[in-house]
Amino acid sequence: MSTIDWPTARLTPIARARALAAGLPGAGYAETTIDRPFVDAWLRLMDLERSVPAADRLVRSIRVREREVLPDGAERLQVTSRSSLGPRQDFDVRIEPGFCLMQETRRLFVVVMAAEPDPHDPSATRYAHVEAVPRRFARPLGRILDRIVADDAQGFRRHLEA
Amino acid sequence: VEPIGAAAPLGGVHDLVRAAQGGDPSAMDELLRALAPYVGRICGAIALDRGDDAVQETFIAVLRSLRSLRDPDALHGWVRRIAVREAVRAARPGQTVAVAPDDLRDLPATLPDLAAVLDVRAALAELPPLHRAVLVLRDLDGLAEAEVAQLLAVPEGTVKSRLHRARAAAREVLSR
């Protein structure tokens, strides 16, 4: 065994989102570029009570019920979402810099939001959005979700650039 | 220094793997977080500047085929195999990853007394990706030569002899 300082590689937030999308049957996936620096874009994005209803037409409101910092430094939230169509959904949320996973407490639905500085433009941010019904029977939903997720990604882009 | 296999937070992952195989997104994500340091070291040392790409492709392959892993306790070796394959592939875009004995000819060696080496990346960059893979598996991951040979599908004698040459070549690179 050596004490060499070997080069290391990272699992970036967007790579993490891509991997989860690959592992979730029928996941919808979209990426876009936001014309805002990463820190600015991420802080506004993680103001979930404002950003999600502004970006997603199907969400009427988001309320953060609990918030705690986990031992590994991530933030854990419990939120309630009310849909424009009526139903209420409770989510467990895990937030790290550039990465957010929102899982409906009965595991009916999951949303992943990931962002990182655009490697070609430091004044811009790459954004990835994943939505899935994490059940095997949901695989055929992928094409439908792709369209919904693409709309949501553009909704977040418009909100963050406004 | 502990072998990275021992240092990676992979103990007690049985339930986590089962939950991820059952489609639990939080379990999948927790698995990624647990494996990321280990995979990052394998991919970084073999694929160098394309290491992040290799990490991504490794985890895409891991989550796509996680259900095929019958024994959760075999996770570590299974992920290692995928990471090495993806790292070599990323380092040699457009080429296949089959390893023939000739690929290991002129293999440089375990980097000697590497605590003093400042530019390991530059030294590694002078080695072909498959040679880096042998060094990583033997010297970073702490595998026995027989295990390296099995993972790369070459005779153990080939690994042994090429490893000696590799170390000599690496020593030469590092002494320049």
Side-chain angles (χ1 to χ4, degrees):
Chain A
M1 218 54 48
S2 72
T3 55
I4 186 172
D5 186 14
W6 296 85
T8 59
R10 290 189 319 132
L11 176 64
T12 69
I14 286 184
R16 190 166 157 189
R18 288 173 180 163
L20 287 168
L24 291 166
Y29 183 85
E31 285 186 26
T32 190
T33 299
I34 296 165
D35 190 18
R36 284 281 185 276
F38 168 73
V39 172
D40 176 38
W42 186 248
L43 288 176
R44 290 190 66 196
L45 186 63
M46 287 302 99
D47 182 3
L48 297 175
E49 292 184 341
R50 291 174 190 269
S51 66
V52 177
D56 188 337
R57 287 175 300 173
L58 296 179
V59 177
R60 195 177 69 203
S61 69
I62 290 270
R63 184 168 65 88
V64 177
R65 292 183 287 112
E66 286 187 38
R67 188 185 290 269
E68 65 174 321
V69 176
L70 299 173
D72 66 0
E75 197 174 15
R76 183 182 178 204
L77 275 54
Q78 293 188 333
V79 309
T80 296
S81 165
R82 288 191 182 277
S83 152
S84 305
L85 306 175
R88 157 192 161 151
Q89 289 181 308
D90 293 327
F91 287 85
D92 282 323
V93 182
R94 180 186 172 89
I95 299 175
E96 300 168 33
F99 187 85
C100 172
L101 187 148
M102 301 178 61
Q103 181 160 315
E104 203 270 343
T105 50
R106 292 163 298 173
R107 225 186 85 195
L108 296 175
F109 195 59
V110 64
V111 180
V112 174
M113 296 184 274
E116 56 194 48
D118 187 323
H120 307 295
D121 180 359
S123 68
T125 299
R126 288 294 296 165
Y127 175 67
H129 193 88
V130 182
E131 294 185 13
V133 176
R135 306 283 176 180
R136 287 191 203 188
F137 65 76
R139 193 174 295 279
L141 293 177
R143 288 185 180 176
I144 300 169
L145 274 178
D146 269 342
R147 287 198 292 273
I148 293 172
V149 167
D151 284 348
D152 288 349
Q154 291 308 313
F156 280 109
R157 182 187 61 74
R158 284 191 296 272
H159 171 68
L160 297 173
E161 290 179 350
Chain B
V1 173
E2 291 286 321
I4 54 175
L10 296 180
V13 295
H14 191 102
D15 291 345
L16 187 60
V17 171
R18 286 295 184 221
Q21 287 177 321
D24 182 340
S26 290
M28 291 182 194
D29 185 53
E30 192 174 340
L31 201 58
L32 296 189
R33 294 200 309 274
L35 291 167
Y38 175 67
V39 170
R41 294 183 73 175
I42 292 279
C43 291
I46 296 175
L48 299 178
D49 290 344
R50 302 180 71 95
D52 288 359
D53 293 341
V55 170
Q56 171 179 290
E57 295 309 312
T58 296
F59 282 124
I60 286 174
V62 164
L63 289 190
R64 271 199 181 133
S65 52
L66 189 62
R67 287 184 203 280
S68 70
L69 179 65
R70 291 185 180 177
D71 177 9
D73 294 331
L75 176 72
H76 193 175
W78 183 70
V79 169
R80 174 198 291 128
R81 200 158 50 242
I82 295 171
V84 170
R85 181 189 73 199
E86 294 301 334
V88 172
R89 179 178 287 158
R92 303 194 314 177
Q95 294 187 35
T96 61
V97 186
V99 180
D102 281 353
D103 288 330
L104 300 179
R105 193 173 48 211
D106 301 326
L107 182 69
T110 312
L111 309 181
D113 298 327
L114 301 165
V117 174
L118 295 177
D119 198 351
V120 175
R121 177 179 289 266
L124 288 170
E126 296 212 16
L127 311 178
L130 282 167
H131 296 183
R132 294 199 291 266
V134 172
L135 291 175
V136 166
L137 292 169
R138 183 72 184 91
D139 292 347
L140 175 60
D141 209 2
L143 293 191
E145 285 164 357
E147 294 173 297
V148 176
Q150 184 180 24
L151 199 152
L152 296 178
V154 297
E156 184 179 347
T158 302
V159 169
K160 194 186 294 284
S161 61
R162 304 316 178 204
L163 201 53
H164 282 299
R165 287 194 204 173
R167 288 173 173 155
R171 196 175 292 121
E172 184 182 331
V173 168
L174 294 169
S175 65
R176 285 177 194 164

